[in-house]
């Protein structure tokens, strides 16, 4: 086992924070590819090899985003100078409440 203090270092946290910020900025730049009702449901985006991975907040919105993959690829090529070949849309796992109320 590794002590938690060894896992949580300032450089690790900074790297994670930077990756999250890049992901959110990329998602913001891609929202224009979607209709207004879909835009707020794009949570983040990331490029992995030659694939763009989008994260939606619910399966219904992920399905709608899949219809716009060609538009998204065009934006990535024009705005980000990336020739990607595929778009994958994932659904964020459900967020559990911080303090669930229990019947005891």
């Amino acid at each position: 086992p590794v002590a938690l203090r060894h896992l949580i270092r300032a450089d690790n946290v900074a790297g994670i924070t930077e990756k999250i910020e890049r992901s959110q900025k990329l998602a913001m730049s891609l929202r224009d590819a979607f209709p207004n009702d879909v835009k707020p449901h794009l949570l983040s985006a990331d490029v992995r090899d030659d694939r763009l991975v989008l994260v939606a907040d619910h399966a219904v919105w992920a399905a709608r985003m899949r219809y716009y993959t060609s538009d998204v690829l065009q934006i990535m090529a024009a705005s980000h100078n990336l020739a990607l070949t595929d778009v994958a849309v994932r659904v964020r796992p459900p967020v559990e409440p911080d303090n669930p109320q229990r019947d005891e």
Side-chain angles (χ1 to χ4, degrees), residues 86-99:
D86 192 25
V87 177
V89 184
R90 305 284 184 243
V91 179
R92 176 189 68 189
V95 178
E96 305 233 352
D98 290 336
N99 296 317

Side-chain angles (χ1 to χ4, degrees), residues 40-99:
H41 301 283
L42 175 60
L43 302 177
S44 66
D46 192 17
V47 175
R48 296 184 187 156
D49 298 321
D50 62 345
R51 173 183 279 188
L52 176 66
V53 179
L54 305 176
V55 179
D57 61 356
H58 195 274
V60 170
W61 298 110
R64 295 269 315 269
M65 287 177 197
R66 287 184 185 99
Y67 286 110
Y68 300 95
T69 56
S70 62
D71 297 337
V72 169
L73 289 174
Q74 287 177 1
I75 287 176
M76 289 300 292
S79 300
H80 299 281
N81 200 26
L82 292 173
L84 303 174
T85 60
D86 192 25
V87 177
V89 184
R90 305 284 184 243
V91 179
R92 176 189 68 189
V95 178
E96 305 233 352
D98 290 336
N99 296 317

